[in-house]
Structures are given as structure tokens and as C-alpha cells.
Amino acid sequence: MRVVVPARQETPFGVRLVLLFVLALSTVVVHLNQAPALRPAGELIPDLRAGGVSRVVYDRDWPAYGTLTWSHGPLSWTQARFDQPDDVWDPRTTRLDREALRRRQEAFLAQVRAAADPSVEIVRTEGFRGAGALIGSPAYERWWKPFAPVAVTAEALAWLLMLAGPGPRYASRWAWFWMFLIGGSLLYVLLEPRPLWRGPHEVLPAPERIDGTRGFAIAVAILFGTAMAGA
């Protein structure tokens, strides 16, 4: 007896469109906010006095480790260069001296508060200890905190569609796997299993699929090119 196995249903157009919008927005946010310009921490004080800062975010363990960033706008951030002080570490045990760190941090924050306009938001984060470690790129929170879980959920759904959805047309799952690691989820949602601009009943020619080896090569080439461009 022949058994007919029903084909997997394609993801509804509206769902793909929403995913595409969120992934496109997260790509822009990460591109602009992922790697803020590095400057000495002391330059925050004149920036505050000049009135060009709207938000200051510091890690609970800064300056022992962690980061200090300040915002000139939702998509314009600066990060303090890491200059670890020696006096926050106990020379005998080599452990972090919390009291010394507290004194140094409070002294710097006193200068920050004295120079800051009352409208400037000063925020302490928990670094990798809190829930913030689970919400993906810190660029999301720098732009708009509620967007972080939305962006991560969209990325997870794109992965789920790639792994469990209808068979992709333009590349194998292994090829898409490698390309997802460098941000290919946006392209996947746009193209697979059929381009968003093509109708659901339109007959499409079978393209030459990219296999896993070529997908890996493409991912490495893009990663290398991006690194060279940013150098």
C-alpha cells in the first residue's frame, strides 16, 4: 500500500514579513551599536558638561572588568577603553578587593553625577551575572531594552524554520547553518522556501543549491572580509 505523506506547510506570508522586519531592524541596530568607539573614561566628564550625553551605563565590576559606555543618542554610543587599575586586586590573594573597587567606582561616579544634567540616566548593570547575559547582543539594550527579547525570539524562530521547515531551495540546511552564524537569518527569511515577492502558487525554476562546503566557504569569506574592512 502506498502511503502519502503530506508536504510541510510553508510559513504564512505575514509571519515571514514580521520576522523579516524584526531581523532587518536588529541587523541595523547591531551594525551601529555593537562596537562603540573607544575613548578614555575621563572623556566622559567633558562630554557630560557639554550636554551631549543622555545615558551612562556601567558594569557593577567596572573598572576591574566589565564596561562603561555612554550614549549621545539611541544609535550613537561610546565605550571607555579598558585600563584596569592595580589597586582593586589584593596583592596577596590576587582576588578582587571589593572595598577598593567600591571606593574607586564611587569616586568616579561622584564626578559623573556632578557633571551630569539631572536628565541624564545613570544605569548599573549586572554584566554576565544577570538576565542580561541571556538576551543576545548588548547593542539591543543600548538602543531600546524591550527590543532585546523580541530580537532574540525572532532569531530563534528563524533557526527553527531553517531546521524544521520545508526543504530550502537555494542552499542546503548545512549551508544555511554556516551562513546563519554570520547573520544569514535575514536572507533566509527573505528567500526560503520561496522569495517573499513570489506568489504561493507560482511555479519556480529549481536553482542550483549551495551545499554545506560552499556555504561554509561563503561564511568564512564574509567573516574575513568584514574583519578586514573593520581593521
Side-chain angles (χ1 to χ4, degrees):
M1 179 185 293
R2 179 179 298 177
V3 178
V4 178
V5 180
R8 295 181 186 177
Q9 294 295 315
E10 292 187 10
T11 307
F13 177 83
V15 173
R16 287 178 64 190
L17 198 61
V18 171
L19 275 179
L20 184 69
F21 173 77
V22 175
L23 291 170
L25 186 56
S26 67
T27 300
V28 172
V29 169
V30 168
H31 178 73
L32 295 177
N33 266 356
Q34 180 72 10
L38 296 177
R39 291 166 55 194
E43 293 189 11
L44 169 58
I45 306 303
D47 276 7
L48 285 165
R49 288 174 179 155
V53 177
S54 58
R55 194 166 186 244
V56 177
V57 181
Y58 68 97
D59 187 280
R60 57 165 286 187
D61 295 314
W62 186 86
Y65 42 86
T67 59
L68 167 73
T69 55
W70 60 98
S71 171
H72 305 274
L75 293 175
S76 176
W77 286 78
T78 299
Q79 183 169 315
R81 287 198 185 105
F82 189 64
D83 184 19
Q84 187 182 67
D86 294 331
D87 61 351
V88 298
W89 300 97
D90 190 311
R92 294 172 299 167
T93 64
T94 69
R95 292 180 179 176
L96 183 62
D97 185 337
R98 285 284 171 191
E99 184 59 29
L101 176 64
R102 184 187 62 79
R103 288 196 301 268
R104 178 176 280 272
Q105 196 176 85
E106 286 184 354
F108 183 79
L109 289 174
Q111 297 180 56
V112 168
R113 293 188 180 98
D117 186 88
S119 62
V120 175
E121 186 181 8
I122 301 173
V123 180
R124 187 180 102 151
T125 67
E126 295 300 312
F128 289 102
R129 291 172 176 78
L134 304 175
I135 58 171
S137 170
Y140 300 146
E141 278 200 290
R142 290 191 187 115
W143 178 58
W144 186 43
K145 189 172 182 178
F147 181 68
V150 175
V152 172
T153 301
E155 186 70 27
L157 284 174
W159 274 91
L160 184 62
L161 290 176
M162 187 271 289
L163 294 172
R169 292 170 50 82
Y170 293 93
S172 69
R173 294 192 199 278
W174 267 114
W176 278 118
F177 172 84
W178 296 118
M179 291 188 284
F180 263 50
L181 297 179
I182 52 136
S185 54
L186 174 65
L187 194 61
Y188 178 86
V189 172
L190 180 66
L191 295 177
E192 298 285 10
R194 64 175 60 243
L196 268 175
W197 60 88
R198 307 298 288 265
H201 304 295
E202 191 174 348
V203 178
L204 302 178
E208 181 183 351
R209 294 175 90 223
I210 300 172
D211 60 19
T213 302
R214 283 199 291 165
F216 177 77
I218 290 170
V220 170
I222 293 175
L223 192 63
F224 181 75
T226 304
M228 292 294 291

